[in-house]
Amino acid sequence: GQTETPQTSADTETLETEEQEVPAVTAETPVSNDRHAALREEYQSRIDGLWAEMHAIDQNARSQADLNQLSYDNYQHWDSLLNEIYQDIKSELSSSAFASLKDSETAWIAQRDITADRDAADWTGGTGYAAVHNGSLARSTGERCQWLVDQYLN
């Protein structure tokens, strides 16, 4: 069955940290066109597959424990993909461009964690907390994967 996330005032408020943009970073040395296209195609396919996996979690879970585990597994898959994308991009950047990307990633991680904590706040102490928290982490990480592909591999 589907699990509904309760609506709270936190859902409609904009946090000051959300208004701050994570600085855009561009590669000083472009990735070679052939490798660039191959990486973009591979990563886009994997991103699309993980979004599909994420959307199927509610249909595949038979219990709250299943939902918690499936949401955790999905987040771990996103995190692994993010690290792969990051490493491929890192290998193509100058040291100054990589330093900018690293700063951007640090800011993004802090924002991701704030968002997940806020999204799951009403579930604190409840059985649904893990699924909501992991779902938020997965969603943010998926969006970051797409951003990295769009920013560096397009």
Side-chain angles (χ1 to χ4, degrees):
Q2 292 192 352
T3 304
E4 289 188 31
T5 303
Q7 294 295 315
T8 66
S9 61
D11 291 332
T12 58
E13 292 177 2
T14 301
L15 296 176
E16 181 178 326
T17 54
E18 288 181 333
E19 295 171 5
Q20 300 171 356
E21 283 191 32
V22 175
V25 181
T26 57
E28 291 177 8
T29 307
V31 180
S32 70
N33 287 340
D34 290 344
R35 183 165 187 267
H36 188 256
L39 285 172
R40 181 177 58 243
E41 185 176 323
E42 173 194 347
Y43 286 136
Q44 192 60 59
S45 175
R46 292 173 65 192
I47 287 168
D48 293 345
L50 284 175
W51 284 125
E53 177 185 297
M54 182 181 217
H55 293 300
I57 287 174
D58 282 345
Q59 289 77 32
N60 294 331
R62 300 194 193 293
S63 67
Q64 185 63 51
D66 284 350
L67 191 59
N68 293 347
Q69 186 61 53
L70 290 170
S71 65
Y72 174 78
D73 292 346
N74 183 253
Y75 166 60
Q76 291 301 309
H77 295 155
W78 278 117
D79 193 53
S80 292
L81 180 59
L82 178 72
N83 288 323
E84 287 180 48
I85 294 168
Y86 184 77
Q87 289 304 314
D88 275 331
I89 291 169
K90 175 183 172 184
S91 71
E92 301 291 334
L93 298 179
S94 68
S95 59
S96 64
F98 174 68
S100 293
L101 175 59
K102 189 175 178 182
D103 289 345
S104 173
E105 284 297 293
T106 300
W108 170 77
I109 289 167
Q111 182 59 48
R112 177 203 64 192
D113 293 348
I114 289 168
T115 299
D117 290 346
R118 185 206 64 219
D119 289 349
D122 285 347
W123 294 89
T124 300
T127 58
Y129 179 86
V132 173
H133 195 265
N134 289 329
S136 180
L137 291 171
R139 193 169 27 265
S140 294
T141 305
E143 290 167 358
R144 185 64 174 186
C145 287
Q146 188 68 62
W147 183 85
L148 287 170
V149 167
D150 292 346
Q151 184 74 22
Y152 289 94
L153 300 176
N154 270 334

